[in-house]
């Protein structure tokens, strides 16, 4: 996710270390600057914005911790990585408590350096995306910036310039009605009605009456004549959601109105003419339904003049974070409360999760979190257990057991302010066992 063009400042009193850092990161596509002291780094930062600072821990005069504090006070969006030839738990805890996002012990390989830089820039990119309140004005009010959504926007523009039938495919919860509305309200039909109809929510016995209307006395309970959705949408657009659930008889009636632009109200023999654009949608694979004899092939081709496929939320990368930011601001504003902030770990968990319910599931989750979380921060522990499991599995997938254990112990100690008694309680071990682990892992 991170920007390969990120600007990085390396600060170390060792020219050899600066050369190693500069050579490896420049080869990976980063813009790298180097300085030999905290004072020189401070002067550079006053003139040049950077995305990441890699600083040594021990240097003459001012040390790396002083640089971290200076950056945290003046450059909140800049990430910091601490490196040192004197690894210790207390040093790591102090650095991370003061704002360092990563802690790397010398000597380190080029691969270890690049992996740490990628991790910290990934966190920064997630945070920036999640707290970016800007909306894309040219995207029809639909939030999204990934390549898949750009393709959707391009098709919306093309479909809006015609009156051709449109079929929108995609999983449940991906926003098919939003796209249908975007096509309608950017077309020449925008001054007329947009009428959404959920074919799966209306019983088949009532669907014909709802779509085409009925005359008084057409059936029991028909006390007066009533126009149907097609007539209401005359001149505009009717959106037939979940058309794959329509019965064979209803499919035949829909085919007729698409072919002839004519229909009859239930209980009437009078032919009525209608000029209604049809946009249909389904989460089902209609081609498979055609092959199984469950959906008319001629109707399939009628509605498939233009197809717009919506990607699942899991396919949309950083869009997840943009949507999360949008929903946080929306629900917090609705509830007249401060907009809560998502921690880096919570952002990572949102992005790693599979989202079977797509955007609708994300929206429901963020609404629930805004309601139940009292403080200004939403952490990974506030998320459902399934999401916490996903991030744990993803983060540790390629690490040895010792590496995972060392990373977890460092993290717990940092959160407890190096309180070993409290850390041991959280880890579920006694203080003596913790000391032994720290010694064995080279963290003591």
């Amino acid at each position: 996710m991170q920007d390969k063009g990120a600007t990085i400042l390396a600060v170390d009193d060792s020219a050899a270390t600066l050369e190693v850092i500069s050579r490896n990161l420049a080869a990976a596509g980063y813009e790298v600057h180097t300085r030999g002291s905290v004072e020189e780094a401070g002067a550079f930062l006053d003139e040049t914005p950077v995305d990441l600072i890699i600083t040594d821990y021990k240097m003459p005069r001012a040390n790396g911790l002083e640089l971290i504090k200076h950056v945290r006070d003046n450059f909140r969006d800049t990430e910091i990585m601490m490196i040192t030839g004197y690894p210790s738990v207390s040093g790591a805890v102090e650095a991370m408590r003061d704002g360092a996002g990563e802690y790397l012990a010398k000597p380190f390989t080029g691969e270890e350096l690049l992996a740490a830089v990628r991790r910290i820039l990934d966190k920064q990119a997630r945070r920036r995306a999640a707290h970016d309140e800007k909306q894309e004005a040219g995207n029809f009010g639909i939030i999204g910036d990934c390549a898949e959504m750009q393709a959707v926007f391009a098709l919306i523009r093309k479909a809006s310039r015609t009156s051709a039938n449109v079929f929108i495919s995609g999983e449940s919860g991906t926003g098919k009605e939003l796209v249908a509305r975007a096509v309608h309200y950017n077309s020449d039909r925008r001054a007329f009605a947009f009428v959404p109809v959920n074919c799966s929510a209306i019983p088949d016995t009532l669907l014909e009456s709802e779509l085409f209307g009925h005359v008084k006395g057409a059936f029991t309970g028909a006390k007066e004549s009533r126009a149907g959705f097609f007539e209401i949408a005359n001149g505009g657009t009717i959106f037939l959601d979940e058309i794959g659930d329509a019965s064979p008889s209803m499919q035949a009636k829909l085919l007729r109105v698409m072919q002839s632009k004519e229909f009859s109200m239930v209980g009437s023999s009078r032919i009525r003419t209608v000029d209604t654009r049809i946009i249909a949608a389904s989460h089902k694979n209609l081609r498979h339904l055609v092959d199984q004899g469950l959906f008319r092939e001629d109707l399939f081709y009628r509605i498939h003049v233009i197809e717009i496929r919506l990607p699942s939320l899991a396919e949309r990368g950083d869009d997840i974070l943009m949507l999360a930011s949008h929903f946080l601001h929306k629900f917090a504003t609705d509830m007249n409360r401060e907009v809560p902030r998502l921690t880096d770990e919570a952002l990572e968990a949102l992005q790693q999760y599979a989202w079977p319910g797509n955007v609708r599931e994300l929206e429901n989750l963020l609404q629930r979190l805004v309601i139940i979380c009292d403080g200004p921060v939403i952490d990974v522990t506030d998320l459902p257990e399934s999401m916490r499991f996903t991030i744990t599995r993803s983060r540790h997938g390629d690490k040895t057991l010792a590496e995972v254990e060392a990373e977890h112990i460092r993290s717990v100690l940092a959160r407890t302010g190096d309180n070993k008694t409290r850390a041991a309680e959280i880890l579920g071990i006694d203080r003596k066992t913790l000391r032994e682990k720290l010694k064995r892992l080279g963290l003591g």
Side-chain angles (χ1 to χ4, degrees), residues 90-112:
S90 59
V93 168
E94 190 173 3
M96 297 182 77
R97 186 174 57 214
D98 288 338
E102 288 282 341
Y103 187 87
L104 192 61
K106 298 178 184 177
F108 48 80
T109 66
E111 290 78 9
E112 290 171 335

Side-chain angles (χ1 to χ4, degrees), residues 4-135:
K4 280 297 185 68
T7 302
I8 299 174
L9 172 63
V11 186
D12 199 307
D13 60 327
S14 166
T17 299
L18 290 178
E19 169 63 22
V20 169
I21 294 173
S22 180
R23 184 175 65 250
N24 280 279
L25 296 184
Y30 299 106
E31 179 184 340
V32 186
H33 302 271
T34 60
R35 291 296 184 271
S37 69
V38 170
E39 294 82 0
E40 291 177 11
F44 180 84
L45 290 171
D46 288 338
E47 302 294 332
T48 309
V50 302
D51 299 295
L52 169 63
I53 296 171
I54 302 175
T55 179
D56 191 18
Y57 180 39
K58 290 194 175 182
M59 289 182 284
R61 300 184 298 277
N63 64 27
L65 291 178
E66 293 177 60
L67 178 58
I68 291 175
K69 292 173 183 176
H70 174 71
V71 171
R72 281 292 153 260
D73 289 341
N74 297 279
F75 308 98
R76 298 292 300 176
D77 192 42
T78 300
E79 290 292 340
I80 306 168
M81 180 192 302
M82 175 73 78
I83 57 174
T84 180
Y86 307 91
S88 70
V89 169
S90 59
V93 168
E94 190 173 3
M96 297 182 77
R97 186 174 57 214
D98 288 338
E102 288 282 341
Y103 187 87
L104 192 61
K106 298 178 184 177
F108 48 80
T109 66
E111 290 78 9
E112 290 171 335
L113 173 65
L114 285 171
V117 167
R118 291 189 184 107
R119 283 196 301 271
I120 199 167
L121 289 178
D122 273 349
K123 289 181 182 178
Q124 182 183 64
R126 277 191 290 271
R127 191 182 307 114
R128 286 175 173 174
H131 298 104
D132 183 4
E133 298 180 46
K134 299 191 300 293
Q135 300 298 321

Side-chain angles (χ1 to χ4, degrees), residues 32-322:
V32 186
H33 302 271
T34 60
R35 291 296 184 271
S37 69
V38 170
E39 294 82 0
E40 291 177 11
F44 180 84
L45 290 171
D46 288 338
E47 302 294 332
T48 309
V50 302
D51 299 295
L52 169 63
I53 296 171
I54 302 175
T55 179
D56 191 18
Y57 180 39
K58 290 194 175 182
M59 289 182 284
R61 300 184 298 277
N63 64 27
L65 291 178
E66 293 177 60
L67 178 58
I68 291 175
K69 292 173 183 176
H70 174 71
V71 171
R72 281 292 153 260
D73 289 341
N74 297 279
F75 308 98
R76 298 292 300 176
D77 192 42
T78 300
E79 290 292 340
I80 306 168
M81 180 192 302
M82 175 73 78
I83 57 174
T84 180
Y86 307 91
S88 70
V89 169
S90 59
V93 168
E94 190 173 3
M96 297 182 77
R97 186 174 57 214
D98 288 338
E102 288 282 341
Y103 187 87
L104 192 61
K106 298 178 184 177
F108 48 80
T109 66
E111 290 78 9
E112 290 171 335
L113 173 65
L114 285 171
V117 167
R118 291 189 184 107
R119 283 196 301 271
I120 199 167
L121 289 178
D122 273 349
K123 289 181 182 178
Q124 182 183 64
R126 277 191 290 271
R127 191 182 307 114
R128 286 175 173 174
H131 298 104
D132 183 4
E133 298 180 46
K134 299 191 300 293
Q135 300 298 321
E136 293 292 332
N139 288 348
F140 313 103
I142 301 173
I143 296 171
D145 198 39
C146 66
E148 292 81 0
M149 288 305 295
Q150 293 302 319
V152 169
F153 299 144
L155 285 171
I156 291 174
R157 293 185 189 97
K158 292 178 181 179
S160 299
R161 294 194 289 265
T162 78
S163 285
N165 294 336
V166 176
F167 178 70
I168 305 171
S169 61
E171 298 174 5
S172 296
T174 50
K176 293 187 284 294
E177 185 173 334
L178 280 177
V179 172
R181 288 181 180 274
V183 172
H184 170 75
Y185 287 108
N186 286 275
S187 73
D188 292 339
R189 296 174 177 267
R190 68 177 71 89
F192 296 91
F194 173 86
V195 181
V197 181
N198 189 330
C199 297
S200 65
I202 303 174
D204 193 54
T205 53
L206 297 178
L207 187 57
E208 182 178 3
S209 171
E210 294 291 325
L211 289 176
F212 305 119
H214 61 261
V215 297
K216 181 178 179 180
F219 50 83
T220 303
K223 297 180 180 180
E224 58 185 7
S225 297
R226 194 177 73 177
F229 292 138
F230 268 95
E231 190 168 349
I232 294 170
N234 190 26
T237 302
I238 189 167
F239 174 51
L240 302 174
D241 197 10
E242 299 304 347
I243 195 172
D245 292 334
S247 67
S249 63
M250 182 51 59
Q251 290 177 35
K253 291 180 173 67
L254 288 173
L255 180 63
R256 178 191 173 193
V257 75
M258 288 185 190
Q259 289 174 328
S260 65
K261 301 294 184 180
E262 296 177 345
F263 70 96
S264 297
M265 298 176 73
V266 176
S268 172
S269 58
R270 177 188 166 193
I271 301 298
R272 296 171 181 259
T273 303
V274 69
D275 174 26
T276 303
R277 181 185 197 166
I278 295 174
I279 300 179
S282 179
H283 75 282
K284 296 180 179 179
N285 188 318
L286 293 193
R287 169 49 71 184
H288 288 172
L289 294 182
V290 169
D291 293 341
Q292 296 167 14
L294 300 175
F295 198 84
R296 294 181 64 114
E297 187 172 27
D298 45 6
L299 179 59
F300 174 84
Y301 288 118
R302 281 283 177 182
I303 64 177
H304 266 78
V305 179
I306 300 173
E307 179 174 1
I308 301 176
R309 178 195 170 273
L310 288 184
S312 67
L313 184 56
E315 296 176 78
R316 294 179 56 180
D318 291 357
D319 284 3
I320 295 171
L321 308 179
M322 296 172 63

